[in-house]
Amino acid sequence: MTPADSGQPAVILKAATQLFAALGYDGTSTRQIADAAGMNIATVNYHVGGKRELYLAVMERAHRAEKAALDKALAHLPGDDPVAAIHRLVDDYLDFCADNPEIPALWMHRWLSDAGDITELERQYVQPLIAAVTGALRPAVEAGVIDGTVDLEYAMWTVIWSIHGFAKGGVLDADGRRRGAGDRAALRRFRAHLHLTLHRTLALPGPLALPDAPEGPPSGDAGRHLPGDPR
């Protein structure tokens, strides 16, 4: 545990994380963070620093949490059943983002050119994680489990775009209400869609067992056989 993981620094970083995730770096002021933490600006500066230092600390903590989750998930590869292990990897990442929606939100703000003067984070944090995932999946390509014509890096980015978009923005239901990761039925339906998309994109062998459809009137394809499903 670092000094920033306890006491007033932890309170400050929690407030900063929530505000940066909601408003972006450019839309958040140090005063807003201090007010949210119940402190004055001088106390915030003393413990963590100015706005830039706060942002860097928030992004480092987010990266450490994401890396720990991915390292744990990657430890299951390839396993006795490489296809099941690949699907489990995606499930683990989806669950991480659903449980920590502020982390996808932080990165999505950067996709929109937030904190444009802080340019090193993608090279420092994102690229090594993408390389770790694609490297762990490469043996499945060599073994013929994943189609060798697949652009593995873009396939993983497709998963990231989809999961981050769902975790941050959810989907609209028939009444125009936004349903996100906190909605169990929406999460189950998205999970089924994600698994089917991944199975087809990677051209994985064997049948795909989709989760059961949510209770209520049919609202999509989750839980039943679809055209092109390898079953």
Side-chain angles (χ1 to χ4, degrees):
M1 179 179 291
T2 67
D5 291 323
S6 61
Q8 287 185 315
V11 174
I12 294 167
L13 288 177
K14 180 179 180 180
T17 298
Q18 293 171 340
L19 285 168
F20 288 143
L23 306 176
Y25 175 81
D26 296 334
T28 300
S29 68
T30 307
R31 181 170 297 280
Q32 286 175 302
I33 296 171
D35 289 344
M39 304 173 195
N40 57 46
I41 293 179
T43 303
V44 171
N45 287 336
Y46 172 78
H47 283 293
V48 185
K51 178 179 169 180
R52 181 185 178 91
E53 288 74 26
L54 275 167
Y55 183 71
L56 292 175
V58 164
M59 297 305 291
E60 181 185 0
R61 281 163 61 92
H63 168 70
R64 284 196 279 115
E66 188 170 14
K67 183 178 185 301
L70 274 176
D71 285 347
K72 183 177 179 181
L74 289 173
H76 299 297
L77 291 174
D80 295 333
D81 185 342
V83 173
I86 291 169
H87 280 287
R88 180 175 177 178
L89 171 64
V90 173
D91 259 338
D92 288 345
Y93 189 65
L94 173 58
D95 290 339
F96 170 79
C97 290
D99 292 339
N100 302 274
E102 71 282 358
I103 293 180
L106 289 167
W107 288 112
M108 288 185 73
H109 278 296
R110 292 190 62 81
W111 295 355
L112 300 174
S113 300
D114 185 50
D117 60 323
I118 302 176
T119 59
E120 70 273 14
L121 299 185
E122 281 71 18
R123 177 186 57 80
Q124 185 176 355
Y125 295 148
V126 177
Q127 287 182 326
L129 293 185
I130 291 288
V133 173
T134 55
L137 293 176
R138 192 66 60 188
V141 177
E142 295 169 355
V145 176
I146 295 175
D147 187 340
T149 65
V150 170
D151 188 320
L152 199 55
E153 185 176 0
Y154 267 50
M156 292 304 100
W157 271 111
T158 300
V159 170
I160 293 169
W161 296 328
S162 297
I163 292 178
H164 282 207
F166 178 75
K168 170 64 176 174
V171 294
L172 298 180
D173 65 14
D175 298 319
R177 293 172 296 189
R178 195 170 296 279
R179 304 290 188 183
D183 185 300
R184 293 180 63 184
L187 178 60
R188 186 162 59 246
R189 184 179 172 190
F190 174 75
R191 190 185 303 275
H193 166 74
L194 186 66
H195 279 286
L196 181 59
T197 299
L198 181 74
H199 207 86
R200 290 178 174 173
T201 298
L202 300 183
L204 297 176
L208 170 64
L210 293 176
D212 292 335
E215 297 178 1
S219 57
D221 294 323
R224 62 182 177 87
H225 292 209
L226 304 178
D229 190 338
R231 283 184 289 185

